[in-house]
Amino acid sequence: MSAAALNEANGSGETQLLGDAPAPVNGRNAQDGGLQSNTIPHAAPLVGPDFDTILDTESGNGPVEPADESNTEELPLPKRKINDLRVPPPHLADIRWRLFDVREPIELKIDEFERYWPYTDNVWVRQHRAGTDRSGRVTTDYYACRLQRPTYTPRKADPARPDGKPLRKKQTREGGTCQMRIKTVRTEGACPKYSITKVGDHEHTHDLDHMDRIKRNTVVMEIARAEVMKGFMPASVFTIMSEDEEKLAAAGGRYLNRNDVRNASQAWRRTHGDQLAVHPGYKYDHGNGIVRDEEAATALLPSTNSTDIPMLDPALASTPILPMPALAPDTLDFPPSSRPFLNPYLPPPSPSSPLILPHITLSYATSLDSFLAIAPSTRTALSGPSSKALSHYLRTRHDAILIGVGTALADNPTLNARLPSAGGYGGLGWDGQPRPIVIDPSARWVLTPHSAMLQAVAAGRAKAPWVIIAPGCSIDPARLELLKHYGGKYLGLPDLEKGYRLSWEAVFRALAAEGIRSVMVEGGGVVINELLQPEYARFVSTVVVTVAPTYLGTGGVVVCPTRNVDVRGRPRPVVRFREVRWEQVGEDVVMCGKLGMVDADGEGDAAALVQGAEVLGEGGEDAARFTT
């Protein structure tokens, strides 16, 4: 084939780079005086994971031996294959945007970081490594947007490049247009992770599409190189990669062109250019470049009468499809159609300024006689399957979940969220997983690697707990080191209230200082009864109570705050909820309501929590709705 025809096959009038020559015809290249042909021979399906044997099916000459690879031993093998384009990682487009925008801190497991980060390496350039801390477990790197680089002006005369390489066509590049910076922190431990946070107040001055336009990421280029290294022409590889435009755009390859494919494979093609062919099921069509050969494609597709098996792209028929990971057996389902009634009682969107106190949701399950457990230190299942899934949905909507030490000792809980959107159950990193908080003033709760919570942490299905202790409480260094190894820590409060009790205001302020914006309080009895007292109830924003259709009888753990009296000594209700709604969920009934009145400065009016007591005493009607 003539050079002009080959250029036309590639859809470009530019000079053909080395290695884009057609495959041999009857043992000779067309340029060497062999038979002229208007089509490029098809490459047969490649066999074996290394694709070492390339068949010239049209010439009938059998296998074409690979060229001597002694000169290419130092060429790195592509880590990405065509499967990364055919079956991309879940939610790729959304995660690329999050890694570009970094509006909120992101936590990724090591394998997730290595899977998704190369899709955005056309955006970020590492500036410097801050180093590793004394423990050797924490490594910090700083990255800047690629457009922070300085302005480049080409020199009048670029020096000649070695080995006869063509001169680079460099153009003036404006630099310093974006000052966005981020920090990545790699933490080793029971479940190693990367934490990605924004540095400073600068935002991107451009969008992700602009970066995809000016530079291709590593994944897209490696896929192109891997396909060429199987023995296919760059023009054919470009055609195959461009067939599913939506997946290519999600991977950052919206602006991929033929020159990108040539550049990605140029080093390999210097020694293997005479082996290149067109993908099976495709052909060279004069004037149209590489197009699908419908007759050949049909012969390559799997023969089946079943409509359940999807038709494979013939060019990719020999490439196995990787199976999607199965959901964990303990995964729960709370469908989106069941969620709207909870919306008024969920934490508000993230505030722009730091919070003094987090949003507090009091959530627990009780029997008809208001018992949490049938006996002290006895784990009692009250919620049905549907209301249990509701509780796990609430967990995904809060930054932290809080219990007392009694519940931790009695139940050995995991305190994670088990919905498909949560990290470890189908979500990214630890998305939707709340931070367990255990109130343990005397440090009675002894964690071991066999504790359910730490086992969930090691499996990547929960965050490590924070344990709140009283001032002056001494902890065995081995316990400190164990919790730190799993990513948790002990938080000591600065002072106590009268009677040597922990101050709930101090607890919530300490959590807000740690970046916790919402807390779901689940128990146990001591914690719930205290937070329902007027002096503390002002900190509680909303309540979600599940009532199970059962009586447990006397002798259990009951929800019953201490009686409240007015100035004349007459008893009155302790608290009264407002904006109440009842909803039947499975066999249970869920009550949602609002309670506290705390302003942005952490101040509130405890007296307002018992408004309506006179209405109750006079037999006033409850305006709450009951919905089935």
Side-chain angles (χ1 to χ4, degrees), residues 214-551:
I214 65 176
K215 187 172 179 61
R216 316 294 173 253
N217 63 56
T218 297
V219 176
V220 171
M221 298 298 278
E222 282 201 340
I223 292 174
R225 183 160 62 95
E227 280 298 290
V228 174
M229 291 178 69
K230 295 177 186 178
F232 298 120
M233 295 180 61
S236 181
V237 172
F238 172 75
T239 299
I240 295 300
M241 294 182 65
S242 303
E243 285 199 327
D244 194 328
E245 295 181 355
E246 183 178 349
K247 289 183 178 180
L248 185 61
R254 183 190 302 274
Y255 302 98
L256 181 74
N257 55 52
R258 293 173 180 83
N259 282 335
D260 293 328
V261 181
R262 296 187 189 112
N263 293 337
S265 60
Q266 187 175 22
W268 185 85
R269 288 185 293 113
R270 288 197 186 99
T271 54
H272 299 77
D274 59 342
Q275 299 178 12
L276 301 181
V278 177
H279 281 83
Y282 289 76
K283 64 181 180 180
Y284 166 66
D285 182 41
H286 187 74
N288 296 313
I290 306 299
V291 298
R292 183 188 293 267
D293 185 345
E294 297 298 341
E295 182 178 350
T298 303
L300 289 170
L301 289 173
S303 57
T304 177
N305 296 324
S306 172
T307 57
D308 298 332
I309 301 178
M311 299 296 282
L312 296 175
D313 188 322
L316 308 175
S318 62
T319 307
I321 298 179
L322 302 178
M324 296 297 291
L327 292 177
D330 58 346
T331 304
L332 302 174
D333 180 38
F334 189 62
S337 60
S338 303
R339 304 174 184 178
F341 81 95
L342 291 169
N343 290 338
Y345 310 97
L346 296 175
S350 302
S352 56
S353 58
L355 284 176
I356 295 178
L357 291 172
H359 176 102
I360 306 298
T361 299
L362 194 61
S363 179
Y364 58 92
T366 178
S367 64
L368 289 171
D369 46 357
S370 196
F371 282 94
L372 298 174
I374 198 168
S377 303
T378 302
R379 186 169 187 172
T380 306
L382 291 173
S383 300
S386 298
S387 56
K388 182 178 181 180
L390 180 149
S391 297
H392 280 257
Y393 170 69
L394 288 176
R395 290 180 179 184
T396 67
R397 300 300 299 270
H398 290 77
D399 290 346
I401 178 171
L402 184 147
I403 62 171
V405 62
T407 302
L409 292 172
D411 294 352
N412 186 27
T414 55
L415 296 186
N416 63 349
R418 302 202 298 270
L419 295 187
S421 61
Y425 289 85
L428 182 70
W430 287 266
D431 283 356
Q433 290 294 354
R435 173 72 65 182
I437 309 293
V438 179
I439 306 297
D440 187 12
S442 303
R444 292 190 292 138
W445 185 41
V446 180
L447 279 166
T448 71
H450 302 291
S451 300
M453 198 176 298
L454 294 191
Q455 287 185 336
V457 173
R461 295 179 177 175
K463 289 184 177 179
W466 293 352
V467 183
I468 295 181
I469 57 178
C473 179
S474 105
I475 305 291
D476 183 358
R479 291 173 61 184
L480 287 170
E481 185 62 27
L482 175 66
L483 190 54
K484 185 177 181 180
H485 175 70
Y486 281 85
K489 60 184 175 181
Y490 287 90
L491 294 175
L493 296 183
D495 52 22
L496 296 172
E497 285 189 337
K498 294 180 181 180
Y500 298 99
R501 296 168 58 195
L502 287 181
S503 164
W504 282 108
E505 181 174 358
V507 169
F508 294 143
R509 285 181 180 270
L511 294 178
E514 293 285 341
I516 299 296
R517 298 161 298 185
S518 56
V519 180
M520 180 177 173
V521 180
E522 284 201 358
V526 174
V527 171
I528 293 172
N529 285 322
E530 279 196 5
L531 288 176
L532 287 175
Q533 296 293 337
E535 58 182 312
Y536 297 125
R538 64 192 180 94
F539 299 119
V540 178
S541 307
T542 54
V543 292
V544 180
V545 180
T546 298
V547 182
T550 183
Y551 284 97

Side-chain angles (χ1 to χ4, degrees), residues 197-213:
T197 55
K198 182 180 173 184
V199 177
D201 298 327
H202 290 288
E203 302 284 348
H204 281 299
T205 58
H206 52 87
D207 58 14
L208 180 57
D209 186 73
H210 176 72
M211 299 305 299
D212 290 341
R213 182 184 296 111

Side-chain angles (χ1 to χ4, degrees), residues 554-626:
T554 59
V557 179
V558 65
V559 176
C560 186
T562 304
R563 172 173 289 187
N564 187 29
V565 296
D566 62 15
V567 292
R568 299 181 181 178
R570 296 180 302 181
R572 66 178 182 181
V574 179
V575 293
R576 178 177 175 80
F577 306 124
R578 65 183 192 279
E579 300 181 37
V580 175
R581 173 161 182 169
W582 296 83
E583 188 85 10
Q584 183 169 344
V585 179
E587 294 184 346
D588 304 327
V589 176
V590 176
M591 186 209 73
C592 304
K594 296 185 178 179
L595 185 57
M597 293 184 178
V598 178
D599 57 28
D601 296 325
E603 301 295 335
D605 183 6
L609 299 172
V610 292
Q611 286 182 350
E614 292 79 7
V615 176
L616 278 177
E618 297 171 2
E621 294 185 359
D622 189 351
R625 291 187 297 161
F626 179 81

